[in-house]
Amino acid sequence: MTIEFTAGNIHDLAPADLVQGDRVAGRIYTDPEIFELEMKNIFEKTWVWVAHESELPKPGSFKSTYVGRNAVIVTKDRKGAIHTLVNRCRHRGASVCEQRTGNANGFTCPYHAWSYSLDGKLRGIPYPEGYEGVMNKEDMGLQKLRTESYRGLIFATFNQDAEPLEEFLGDVTLWADHFLKQGAGYPLKVIGTQRFKFNGNWKIQLENTTDGYHFPIVHRSWMATVDAETADMLSFMTDPESTCHDLGNGHSVMHMVPEHIDLDVDDGTEPLQARFDGLVAELKQAGVDDVEIRKLVRSMHGTGSNLNLFPNVGLSSAFFRVLRPVSVDETVIEHVALGPDAPPEIAEPVIRERMRIHEHFQGPFGFGTPDDAEGWARVQRGAQASPEMPIMVNRGLNREYKAPEGWVTSHSTDETGMRAAYAKWKEMMSND
Amino acid sequence: MTEILESSVTGSGVSVSDPRIVRTINLIWREADLLDRKDYSAWGQLYAEDALYVIPIDTSIEDFDNVLNLVYDDARMRALRIQRFTEGYAISAVDSARTVRTVSRFVPGSASEDMMTLRAAQILVAYKRGTYDIWAADVDFQIRLGDEPTSDRIVKKVVRLVDAEDMVPAAGFLL
Ligand code: FES
Ligand SMILES: [Fe+2]
């Protein structure tokens, strides 16, 4: 069954054949035709992350983003329903919104002023006489994607026949529930977004969120600049408790800090990190009780896991990592920082500290991200050579087992999560 | 010093030819040179202990404490950043882009005996593996003048990138 990649066949193999269990071909990073097919078969077929509910705080709130290469606007209408609309006027195609976020009653195209409501309906056309008997306004609303959410995590799809979101997520919901506990009893809210781009294929980033193997190597420079307790917390390389589960549908979860997988589980023995002494004092001053302070402080680094969703979002420790494919060798990444939506005397000091932690590692000038991006760019460059030589995703095949829940499981430094994502990729790329 | 327009006078009434401003600009150019040469240890010496270096995401604000930024470095973080840039573990710094920057279009702000504010334009071109990236920014400086020019120190630098809210490349150098 396994197809061997050779110099003779590598350029002729069908895209789905370029994934072979323990290996993939470099062509999946470099072939523009494969990228086109991915946009059609994956990004315009499945559920794609578009927003967190806190980004749409009130009726009229909107956010511009993308589903694959399609610019979309995510809106909250007067009744509180969320819509995802293609940002393209139905007249002659102009974008109707160029603001990243905001509040509006609707969108008016700047070209000939067709106006649309928050749910995408075409509301008004100037000088409508020319359309009498020519077209129905009802048929000319902004194109609408299906939009569904799970506990504030909002996804959209072009595919009107896609399975319900919760079915797509499957066992992901269990781990998303764990992720959301870092609000320490409060809902989570977006506290800022960093954006950067790298010259490489989107799947290189997708792999990275489930790549525990690179951590102490690529992030050695970050490790050298944090306190000993934080460095120690992330020394999972040989910790047998630190595992990765294939959750099905291309999704996986990798546990880097096993003792923080479920932040509600706390036997009280773990000391709070000394770096948060100032924060603890500030919260005490504000009259917050010790139990709540402990909860908030234990959640400062987020959850102990990276939950990697196929195809475009990671619920990664303390933030959302959102990827956007631009072209076969260009990808945009958003690092969306999160904090508790708590009363100001709690939210302000906690969020300030979470922002500083986020800035330290993440973003285009963080102590972690630029080194990741350098690694990814190097994969893109290296993978151009000897296309018949496979990219190996075989690490840990010798120690995979089935967890009681049925999840194929291995160590966090293994490539189980990548194999999960590529199995889904292969399935979707096989579809006509 | 030919870039200084002798006639340029701002609302603050301080001319760019004011000797205090000339000292300030000298310090800014020295900083630019050290950053392009990636002499981070010497660069760190130009900053006061209480100095703040910020690359904000929201370029319209002045208080960066309660927002997420791209860089928010106090003395502690600045020292760690210098360590990261110089100790050789950070693959993005080891193999970083070559940069050439110009800082000009100086507009003096407030001036007192020992504290100057100034804004400027910075155009930086970064070259790496066949790709040129342009980094354009308005930069705000606050500079404390010492007893002599060698003891002048940067107290605050805010780099307001024109595309700060958009996606910039991940950088192995400093603006
Ligand atoms: S293109 Fe939008 S109204 Fe004409
Ligand atoms: Fe990483």
Side-chain angles (χ1 to χ4, degrees):
Chain A
M1 266 314 286
T2 308
I3 299 172
E4 204 188 319
F5 303 149
T6 67
N9 72 7
I10 197 66
H11 295 290
D12 303 321
L13 288 173
D17 291 335
L18 299 175
V19 167
Q20 293 289 332
D22 68 343
R23 62 194 60 204
V24 303
R27 233 184 92 200
I28 68 170
Y29 302 147
T30 60
D31 185 337
E33 281 179 33
I34 291 179
F35 182 83
E36 292 300 320
L37 192 65
E38 288 174 335
M39 295 305 102
K40 177 166 158 278
N41 278 19
I42 298 172
F43 282 86
E44 290 167 16
K45 266 294 153 47
T46 192
W47 290 102
V48 170
W49 167 275
V50 288
H52 182 259
E53 66 174 358
S54 65
E55 295 178 281
L56 304 164
K58 46 183 193 271
S61 294
F62 67 86
K63 170 193 175 181
S64 300
T65 184
Y66 290 83
V67 172
R69 284 178 300 190
N70 303 279
V72 299
I73 319 165
V74 189
T75 67
K76 185 178 252 182
D77 71 19
R78 296 286 152 217
K79 293 186 188 115
I82 303 216
H83 308 275
T84 307
L85 311 167
V86 175
N87 190 358
R88 178 192 194 282
C89 180
R90 288 296 302 278
H91 178 217
R92 293 230 299 277
S95 62
V96 298
C97 176
E98 289 292 348
Q99 248 175 287
R100 199 181 291 287
T101 59
N103 203 271
N105 293 320
F107 305 96
T108 301
C109 178
Y111 203 2
H112 313 91
W114 287 25
S115 62
Y116 302 90
S117 55
L118 290 165
D119 62 1
K121 284 197 194 74
L122 178 58
R123 227 168 25 186
I125 301 180
Y127 311 106
E129 312 76 38
Y131 292 110
E132 266 162 39
V134 177
M135 73 177 186
N136 282 328
K137 236 163 87 177
E138 295 70 53
D139 304 333
M140 297 302 278
L142 296 175
Q143 189 186 356
K144 212 158 149 176
L145 282 73
R146 251 180 81 194
T147 306
E148 289 180 16
S149 65
Y150 176 75
R151 296 193 60 193
L153 315 173
I154 307 170
F155 295 76
T157 178
F158 277 98
N159 181 2
Q160 299 300 330
D161 304 324
E163 74 268 49
L165 176 66
E166 285 202 36
E167 208 171 292
F168 163 80
L169 294 175
D171 290 344
V172 161
T173 58
L174 170 71
W175 297 104
D177 291 348
H178 283 327
F179 181 85
L180 296 172
K181 286 180 187 178
Q182 65 185 284
Y186 298 100
L188 284 181
K189 67 171 178 189
V190 170
I191 57 172
T193 299
Q194 299 171 326
R195 297 183 177 83
F196 68 99
K197 56 188 169 187
F198 76 97
N199 294 325
N201 187 266
W202 64 276
K203 296 185 292 304
I204 299 170
Q205 144 74 82
L206 180 71
E207 294 167 10
N208 182 259
T209 302
T210 175
D211 187 329
Y213 195 24
H214 81 293
F215 200 87
I217 298 149
V218 166
H219 300 310
R220 184 168 170 185
S221 117
W222 175 81
M223 292 282 252
T225 64
V226 293
D227 54 305
E229 290 154 323
T230 302
D232 197 46
M233 183 182 83
L234 281 158
S235 56
F236 52 86
M237 296 307 281
T238 54
D239 177 357
E241 306 273 288
S242 176
T243 56
C244 175
H245 305 302
D246 172 349
L247 301 175
N249 263 348
H251 315 311
S252 63
V253 64
M254 175 184 72
H255 307 301
M256 298 190 296
V257 187
E259 59 277 21
H260 287 179
I261 288 175
D262 182 346
L263 288 164
D264 284 349
V265 176
D266 178 14
D267 62 9
T269 58
E270 180 194 335
L272 297 181
Q273 291 187 1
R275 67 186 285 181
F276 299 126
D277 285 354
L279 174 64
V280 169
E282 205 169 333
L283 291 169
K284 266 205 166 91
Q285 187 77 41
V288 185
D289 71 63
D290 288 353
V291 176
E292 186 168 0
I293 290 178
R294 185 171 170 81
K295 249 180 126 140
L296 287 159
V297 171
R298 279 186 85 241
S299 305
M300 288 307 290
H301 298 287
T303 171
S305 313
N306 276 6
L307 178 57
N308 199 25
L309 270 62
F310 186 87
N312 82 320
V313 66
L315 279 55
S316 184
S317 308
F319 69 106
F320 300 131
R321 202 184 232 208
V322 186
L323 70 83
R324 170 159 76 88
V326 176
S327 67
V328 69
D329 57 2
E330 195 183 352
T331 305
V332 168
I333 312 284
E334 292 186 345
H335 286 171
V336 184
L338 301 167
D341 196 357
E345 67 275 15
I346 294 172
E348 276 173 25
V350 168
I351 285 175
R352 200 160 42 231
E353 191 71 32
R354 287 182 72 111
M355 285 167 169
R356 300 294 93 85
I357 294 174
H358 188 92
E359 288 157 356
H360 189 164
F361 191 107
Q362 314 295 344
F365 290 91
F367 288 19
T369 299
D371 297 332
D372 277 323
E374 171 68 6
W376 308 337
R378 295 281 281 266
V379 170
Q380 186 71 23
R381 287 168 71 78
Q384 313 277 339
S386 305
E388 76 284 2
M389 280 177 51
I391 305 287
M392 302 310 301
V393 288
N394 58 351
R395 186 176 160 84
L397 271 173
N398 57 341
R399 48 185 178 183
E400 270 187 348
Y401 61 96
K402 230 177 207 164
E405 296 86 348
W407 305 318
V408 173
T409 297
S410 193
H411 192 254
S412 60
T413 62
D414 291 339
E415 286 153 353
T416 301
M418 294 174 216
R419 290 191 286 275
Y422 280 123
K424 185 67 182 176
W425 186 92
K426 185 180 176 80
E427 175 199 317
M428 298 194 80
M429 293 294 279
S430 313
N431 297 337
D432 292 325
Chain B
M1 217 82 26
T2 51
E3 283 182 57
I4 296 177
L5 305 174
E6 294 296 329
S7 61
S8 166
V9 172
T10 68
S12 68
V14 185
S15 159
V16 286
S17 58
D18 182 298
R20 294 167 302 174
I21 297 290
V22 171
R23 265 170 75 166
T24 303
I25 292 171
N26 273 326
L27 179 62
I28 291 168
W29 279 344
R30 176 157 159 69
E31 187 204 21
D33 180 51
L34 289 172
L35 285 173
D36 277 342
R37 289 196 282 115
K38 302 199 169 78
D39 188 348
Y40 294 110
S41 306
W43 168 77
Q45 306 296 313
L46 304 183
Y47 279 72
E49 181 59 25
D50 57 342
L52 203 56
Y53 174 111
V54 189
I55 306 179
I57 296 171
D58 183 345
T59 56
S60 68
I61 56 171
E62 293 299 335
D63 169 24
F64 306 106
D65 208 24
N66 292 299
V67 293
L68 187 75
N69 303 290
L70 298 177
V71 176
Y72 182 90
D73 283 0
D74 57 9
R76 188 185 71 91
M77 281 298 287
R78 198 158 44 249
L80 293 174
R81 195 176 290 276
I82 292 168
Q83 174 190 332
R84 168 178 150 77
F85 277 146
T86 50
E87 75 185 340
Y89 300 150
I91 55 176
S92 62
V94 168
D95 221 350
S96 67
R98 287 190 60 185
T99 63
V100 173
R101 71 193 74 197
T102 52
V103 190
S104 189
R105 196 256 266 137
F106 294 108
V107 181
S110 61
S112 70
E113 256 335 284
D114 65 342
M115 194 67 89
M116 314 294 298
T117 64
L118 193 77
R119 54 190 182 80
Q122 173 168 291
I123 309 294
L124 182 156
V125 177
Y127 176 78
K128 181 171 173 176
R129 299 182 194 139
T131 303
Y132 294 91
D133 288 314
I134 296 174
W135 299 74
D138 286 303
V139 190
D140 296 345
F141 288 97
Q142 188 176 347
I143 285 163
R144 189 181 292 136
L145 299 181
D147 293 339
E148 54 216 289
T150 51
S151 52
D152 296 349
R153 291 289 177 271
I154 299 169
V155 177
K156 192 172 184 184
K157 177 174 172 181
V158 180
V159 183
R160 300 175 197 271
L161 286 166
V162 293
D163 50 357
E165 286 192 78
D166 243 306
M167 49 281 174
V168 297
F173 53 87
L174 211 48
L175 303 180

